[in-house]
Amino acid sequence: MRAATNPLFLDAQREVDQTSYDLVLSTLAAVAPGTELRDGLERVLRGRTGALIVLGSSKVVDSISTGGFNIDIEFSATRLRELAKLDGAIVLSRDASHIHTAGVQLLPDPSIDTQESGTRHRTAERVAKQTGFPVISVSQSMQIIQVYVHSIRHVLETSDRILARANQALDTLERYKHRLDEVTATLTYLEIVDRATLADMLVVLQRQEMVRRISEEIQTYILELGDDARLITLQHDELVGPRNDSQYHLLRDYIDAIPEHDSIEDVLHNLAALPGHDLIDIDIVARTIGSSAASESLDRYVYPLGYRLLSTIRRVPPMVVDRLAEHFGRFTELLAAELSELKSVEGVGEHRARIVREGLNRIEEEVHEN
């Protein structure tokens, strides 16, 4: 899988393992604007000398290295710029805090597949695949910086271009979030009146996944922007909040209503792996999570346990949410429960029972007001 430009890794994430994806994100953070390494790379770019940099040292790296100089000094942007004037690669520590060697000739396995044409880029891709370490290639002729992580290739862009993409993504996120709020409010009303269908739940799950994906794209931009991401971060957090486990709580409510479901974790994994053009089809979403796509199946009534709405009530710990949902077994039963019934549940007590009762009343009032 190859991702040459932004938007980065939304499709890539579905085609590489989590370890590779995490390494991609940590590498983007390491070369973000404001870091010493990014300063050094831009100095090399301006100097028009080009560079090949390996972020990590191991026996595998040593085995494909020949020549060069052992330096073992602390990293600085100016040192990187000067060492890039030498022919050969530069090997840094994994955290880019030290320069191990410079002027090294890298001889990776020539049988490793690469689609690159230039010698430096072919070497960079093969070394990344063979060693498992990120490799950075600074092109003298094309004046670009490219990062290779396993089988992923990414071109670093200027902050202005990334900011433009991030702002477009924020506009999309705002629209997606508005629509998600609408369908979520509809589902809440239907749950309260005991008329929610499987289709109603799937529409919310679908919209949650759309919001999650665009949010993830923005978080990648935030990593790439480094010190320039402050305003984007504030806008993103205002829209989605610091935590977003709404998909998990929704599935906990309805997982038993899905005939051939896997675990919630597997359902979420399958949903995340769904291509974007399939995500907009509610029948495909239904099949992905293990439910029949027949219209009569999607229109049947389903009955939530109450995890989603209980989790929206502040100062109610997850343990209490679990016990209440398990005890009553159906949200409408929980909604109709008296204070005495709530506080009789193990681990709830009078204080938390009042918080829950007031929270449920508030949810009902907000639904009827809207």
Side-chain angles (χ1 to χ4, degrees), residues 64-66 83 92 117-118 136 147-148 151-152 229 238-239 251 261 285 290 299 322 341 343 353 364:
I64 62 173
S65 302
T66 182
L83 291 171
L92 307 181
S117 55
I136 303 170
V147 178
Y148 297 83
S151 58
I152 298 172
E238 183 180 9
L239 285 170
L251 285 170
H261 69 81
V285 174
D299 289 338
D322 291 349
E341 295 177 273
K343 69 180 183 181
E364 277 194 287

Side-chain angles (χ1 to χ4, degrees), residues 337-348:
E338 299 290 340
L339 185 63
S340 58
E341 295 177 273
L342 293 173
K343 69 180 183 181
S344 68
V345 177
E346 181 183 358
V348 177

Side-chain angles (χ1 to χ4, degrees), residues 128-141:
K129 290 180 177 179
Q130 185 170 351
T131 67
F133 290 126
V135 180
I136 303 170
S137 174
V138 182
S139 174
Q140 177 182 357
S141 58

Side-chain angles (χ1 to χ4, degrees), residues 94-142:
R94 179 63 192 88
D95 61 359
S97 62
H98 282 75
I99 302 172
H100 290 315
T101 56
V104 175
Q105 183 180 5
L106 296 173
L107 302 171
D109 184 350
S111 67
I112 295 175
D113 180 60
T114 175
Q115 301 301 314
E116 296 289 359
S117 55
T119 302
R120 179 180 288 130
H121 301 318
R122 292 171 70 86
T123 300
E125 185 171 19
R126 284 174 170 156
V127 170
K129 290 180 177 179
Q130 185 170 351
T131 67
F133 290 126
V135 180
I136 303 170
S137 174
V138 182
S139 174
Q140 177 182 357
S141 58
M142 294 189 293

